[in-house]
């Protein structure tokens, strides 16, 4: 029993951590007033870059950094379209979702002998107990990746910045009433650019935390829909850091249930069991969450001087 | 000058500029990675237009994405984001397959029943999303994403089930022949048909080498119906009003909640039609286990956006999309350039569609400034 609980915790944390990075990115971008549907694309490019750089340099941390950079670059495109060109943010986000995986697979074929998967990295990101030098078989199932801890610290930091500092106040105001921020002499455009790029960096890292920690290579299915799940977590978590974190955990927990129940404990076909996380999310939304309201100015381009 | 500004303000102009930019960017990428861009474009052009068979295949492959594109475009016009087209499409393929295997009536009954069962299930899938939004205020994007995955696993469950699974395959049995919608299907394989087609190379290529089916014609009719519904009926006016300004619509006495459910019902039905026509029209006329989405619904998003949500535009955008995918495979086969260049190209086109939306705004400013000048 205890062992099962530990396994459940381990899987929950493992599955949710890539989602947490991307969802927090989504929260930051949306709170600043820019909808980010392109998370999936940014995760894909991050997943590839992380794995490719990790393979060629042998340094997973450097891979993680480059993944953030790649996600940030893609986010820059989204920012140019949605902030400078005042384009429809949904359209631009979907473009990012097409370009991200496209570029990832294109580069993969160029650098990995025409295949759509990278070679496995030799060094993965470390696990927490290995890092601390603890070697205990009983705790093996919660020997989670370091990214789990980083993800948690990221949520803490984002919450602190967003609610306890003046920058956070500005970010939140940007999403509700950008003109008010403008009158304070803060550049709406520049601040939004920063938020969108941070969002891309985090999504890229989220993608790489799949290919550098959970599995050790990039494949066509490495990122399949996790960006969209992260997007759902942003909305589910009511555009708040802790809310999004809990939404990701819930999702990870449902995945853990799938694994545990799939072990033959109950006689449910595995395909039906696999629906659990998704059905559970809908049920939780119906029962607990109720009406959600996005930041008021989210998705609306800002035009200086417009009334 | 004024005339040029007027042309620039047209949506079609923006679309063409976006497509042109997409081609230029892709050519630059090919050039930068050591492939000859002009030669590549020529290969891609030939891959689509050099044989009647290729053109026919492009048309066949465009049918599902034209319809899911219509589904997304319709929802867009009514203020909803139907990212659930993928799930609605899969749900319809499941329904049509199950009904198509279980029933075996005369084609005159069988074909409509098989197609309608898919349309109905797609519509229910869509309406469910609309209902949850109207009743509980749950964002349609979340429900859609969750429902997409649920449907994917439902598909795998049915494909693996003892009742429908075909032994030693990864899918179900094909639907009964009475439900197939290929054009001249019985005739073209008959003695008489074969001998006739032998003498006509073009028709032989089109009919015998492909799964030419009624889907494309249905898709065009659907596009016209959607256009009429949106722009020529009072219901369409109501729906668009809700899309543009739900508060104003409510104030005018339109039931916003009912509109949401109705819009999603229609959007779901269109995606469902895409799935149903695919099962009846294209081999292997069954469903199989999916390890990831086949993107028929997600590609519909791109089609709708390239068409800037115009129902008729979806036909052309769908054809272009399908042509590019087809050409991409040929490009990879002949030059070794990754076929994903096509995904980058389509993504870039959508990106420029987003960027070029500013052209009418700038053109407008110019016109205003000029008229002020005249005063």
């Amino acid at each position: 029993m205890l062992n099962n609980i530990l396994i459940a915790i381990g899987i929950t944390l493992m599955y949710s951590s890539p989602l947490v990075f991307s969802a927090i990115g989504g929260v930051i971008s949306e709170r600043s007033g820019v909808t980010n549907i392109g998370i999936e694309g940014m995760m894909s490019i991050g997943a590839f870059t992380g794995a490719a750089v990790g393979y060629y340099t042998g340094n997973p941390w450097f891979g993680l950094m480059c993944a953030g950079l790649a996600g940030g670059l893609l986010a820059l495109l989204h920012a140019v379209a949605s902030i400078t060109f005042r384009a429809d943010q949904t359209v631009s986000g979907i473009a990012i979702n097409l370009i991200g995986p496209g570029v990832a697979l294109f580069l993969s074929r160029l650098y990995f002998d025409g295949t759509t998967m990278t070679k496995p990295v030799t060094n993965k990101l470390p696990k927490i107990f290995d890092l601390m030098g603890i070697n205990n078989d009983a705790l093996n199932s919660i020997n989670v990746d370091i990214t789990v801890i980083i993800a948690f610290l990221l949520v803490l930091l984002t919450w602190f910045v967003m609610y306890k500092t003046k920058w956070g106040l500005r970010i939140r105001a940007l999403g509700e009433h950008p003109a008010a921020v403008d009158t304070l002499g803060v550049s709406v455009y520049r601040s939004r650019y920063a938020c969108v790029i941070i969002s891309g960096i985090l999504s890229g890292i989220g993608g790489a935390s799949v290919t550098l920690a959970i599995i050790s290579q990039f494949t066509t299915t490495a990122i399949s829909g996790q960006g969209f799940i992260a997007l759902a977590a942003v909305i589910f978590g009511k555009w708040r850091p802790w809310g999004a974190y809990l939404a990701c955990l819930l999702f990870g927990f449902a995945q853990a249930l799938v694994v545990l129940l799939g072990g033959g404990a109950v006689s449910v076909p595995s395909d039906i069991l696999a629906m659990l996380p998704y059905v559970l999310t809908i049920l939780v939304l119906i029962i607990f969450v109720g009406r959600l309201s996005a930041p008021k100015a989210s998705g609306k381009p800002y035009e200086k001087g417009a009334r | 000058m004024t005339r040029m500004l007027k042309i620039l303000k047209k949506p079609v102009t923006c679309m063409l500029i976006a497509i042109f930019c997409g081609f230029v960017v892709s050519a630059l990428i090919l050039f930068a990675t050591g492939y000859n861009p002009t030669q590549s474009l020529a290969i891609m052009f030939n891959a689509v237009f050099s044989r009647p068979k290729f053109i026919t295949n492009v048309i066949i492959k465009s049918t599902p994405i034209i319809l899911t594109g219509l589904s997304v475009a319709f929802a867009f016009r009514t203020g909803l984001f139907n990212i659930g087209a993928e799930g609605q499409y899969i749900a319809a393929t499941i329904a049509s397959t199950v009904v198509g295997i279980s029933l075996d009536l005369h084609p005159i009954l069988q074909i409509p029943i098989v197609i309608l069962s898919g349309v109905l299930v797609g519509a229910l899938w869509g309406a469910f999303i609309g209902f949850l939004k109207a009743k509980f205020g749950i964002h349609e994007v979340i429900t859609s994403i969750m429902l997409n995955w649920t449907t994917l696993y439902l598909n795998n469950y049915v494909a693996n089930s003892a009742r429908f699974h075909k032994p030693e395959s990864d899918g179900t049995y094909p639907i009964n022949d009475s439900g197939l919608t290929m054009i001249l299907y019985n005739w073209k394989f008959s003695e008489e048909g074969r001998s006739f087609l032998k003498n006509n190379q073009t028709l032989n290529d089109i009919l015998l080498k492909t799964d030419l089916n009624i889907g494309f014609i249905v898709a065009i009719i659907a596009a016209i119906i959607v256009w009429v519904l949106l722009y020529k009926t009072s219901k369409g006016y109501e729906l668009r009003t809700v899309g543009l300004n739900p508060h104003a619509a409510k104030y005018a006495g339109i039931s916003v909640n009912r509109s949401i459910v109705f819009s999603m019902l229609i959007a779901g039905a269109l995606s469902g039609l895409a799935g149903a026509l695919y099962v009846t029209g294209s081999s292997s006329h069954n469903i199989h286990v999916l390890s990831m989405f086949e993107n028929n619904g997600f590609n519909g998003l791109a089609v709708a956006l390239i068409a800037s949500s115009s129902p008729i535009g979806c036909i052309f955008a769908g054809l272009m999309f399908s042509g590019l995918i087809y050409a991409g495979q040929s490009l990879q086969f002949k030059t070794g350039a990754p076929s994903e260049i096509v995904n980058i190209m389509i993504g870039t086109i959508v990106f420029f569609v987003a960027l070029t939306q500013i052209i009418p705004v700038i053109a407008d400013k110019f016109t205003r400034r000029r008229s002020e000048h005249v005063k």
Side-chain angles (χ1 to χ4, degrees), chain B residues 113-182:
Chain B
I113 289 176
V114 171
I115 292 180
L116 280 180
S117 58
V119 172
L120 191 74
V121 168
L124 281 177
W125 247 239
F128 178 66
I129 296 168
F131 171 76
L132 289 187
K133 184 180 172 94
K135 175 89 182 172
F136 301 104
I138 302 173
H139 205 296
E140 76 268 23
V141 169
I142 311 189
T143 338
S144 296
I145 291 169
M146 298 302 153
L147 212 53
N148 285 349
W149 283 97
T150 312
T151 318
L152 178 100
Y153 288 112
L154 181 67
N155 172 84
N156 292 356
Y157 174 69
V158 175
N160 282 326
S161 67
R163 168 92 174 72
F164 298 105
H165 182 75
K166 185 180 175 189
E168 281 158 35
S169 79
D170 67 341
T172 63
Y173 289 100
I175 62 170
N176 290 316
D177 280 358
S178 52
L180 300 183
T181 54
M182 271 89 77

Side-chain angles (χ1 to χ4, degrees), chain B residues 228-241 254:
Chain B
V228 170
L229 174 63
L230 272 177
Y231 296 99
K232 298 290 160 194
T233 65
S234 58
K235 187 73 195 168
Y237 185 79
E238 277 183 16
L239 293 174
R240 281 186 295 130
T241 311
I254 299 168

Side-chain angles (χ1 to χ4, degrees), chain A residues 87-88 109 221 224 271 275, chain B residues 149 160 292 332 340 354 357:
Chain A
D88 187 317
R109 282 195 202 271
T221 50
S224 54
D271 292 317
M275 295 176 188
Chain B
W149 283 97
N160 282 326
M292 58 194 288
Q332 178 164 336
E340 281 78 16
Q357 282 165 346

